[in-house]
Amino acid sequence: MKKTFYSFLVIVIISIIVKVSINQSASNNCIEFPNVCNIEQTCVIQNSTEYSCSRIDEIPISYHQVSVNTHENGVKSYQYDVTFINNSKNKLKNVRISTECNLYLKDGVTSFWNVDRFPNGDLIIKEDQIIYPNQMYNFGFILKNEITPTTLKLKAIEIIE
């Protein structure tokens, strides 16, 4: 009986430690855990430790369809170029963009450029890339499907000094 009680107590203590460590990570780093903010907000992280959820209007995202190609088998593909402009007065990195629909890549894996992709479909600029004030950043992808104007949203940014 005593052995069972101590085993149970150890399991409870380990569970509490794991829960606390998971909550600390999620609340301190919304680049890695960007769903901390609601859908209308962008996660803004400063000094690698402080974050806030804010509405960001200084960094518009626009895209346009470059081409529609019909392949020999009759399947269409759609090429898009995406541009965002850093209209803020800050240098930015780790710019993460959510995709409100599935971006079905033409080849399923590599039909995008100047951006990386998370397993959930979010896009993030290249890790070593810094976007300076008034600078534009371009990337693109080729899809099996068309997208709508509400598809791309600024999900997280990191402000650097």
Side-chain angles (χ1 to χ4, degrees):
M1 178 77 168
K2 203 173 191 181
K3 186 177 180 181
T4 305
F5 173 75
Y6 285 119
S7 296
F8 176 75
L9 186 61
V10 168
I11 290 172
V12 168
I13 290 171
I14 291 173
S15 299
I16 291 170
I17 291 170
V18 168
K19 174 84 170 130
V20 167
S21 68
I22 288 172
N23 285 343
Q24 285 178 343
S25 296
S27 65
N28 289 333
N29 189 342
C30 59
I31 294 295
E32 291 181 22
F33 303 95
N35 294 329
V36 171
C37 301
N38 73 39
I39 191 104
E40 298 298 321
Q41 297 175 320
T42 299
C43 166
V44 179
I45 190 166
Q46 292 180 284
N47 304 322
S48 299
T49 57
E50 303 168 17
Y51 83 90
S52 63
C53 295
S54 305
R55 187 173 173 95
I56 304 291
D57 296 320
E58 296 90 8
I59 307 169
I61 300 172
S62 62
Y63 66 88
H64 69 279
Q65 191 176 74
V66 175
S67 64
V68 177
N69 296 309
T70 304
H71 304 281
E72 293 175 10
N73 58 3
V75 175
K76 291 183 178 182
S77 63
Y78 307 86
Q79 181 176 337
Y80 290 90
D81 280 341
V82 181
T83 301
F84 67 85
I85 304 169
N86 179 5
N87 289 329
S88 76
K89 57 185 178 213
N90 303 303
K91 293 186 286 186
L92 307 175
K93 70 176 188 177
N94 290 325
V95 176
R96 186 169 181 161
I97 298 169
S98 69
T99 57
E100 292 180 1
C101 71
N102 291 324
L103 297 181
Y104 296 106
L105 295 173
K106 176 185 168 191
D107 67 1
V109 182
T110 61
S111 297
F112 54 89
W113 51 94
N114 287 344
V115 71
D116 289 323
R117 191 171 187 214
F118 285 96
N120 71 347
D122 284 356
L123 305 172
I124 189 164
I125 65 169
K126 299 291 186 176
E127 186 175 335
D128 59 347
Q129 183 69 48
I130 295 173
I131 312 300
Y132 292 90
N134 300 313
Q135 184 181 8
M136 290 189 333
Y137 188 80
N138 297 302
F139 64 92
F141 39 79
I142 302 173
L143 304 176
K144 295 178 187 177
N145 60 312
E146 290 188 88
I147 58 177
T148 63
T150 61
T151 300
L152 304 175
K153 178 195 162 303
L154 191 61
K155 191 170 193 175
I157 60 171
E158 183 174 353
I159 296 174
I160 58 175
E161 302 296 322

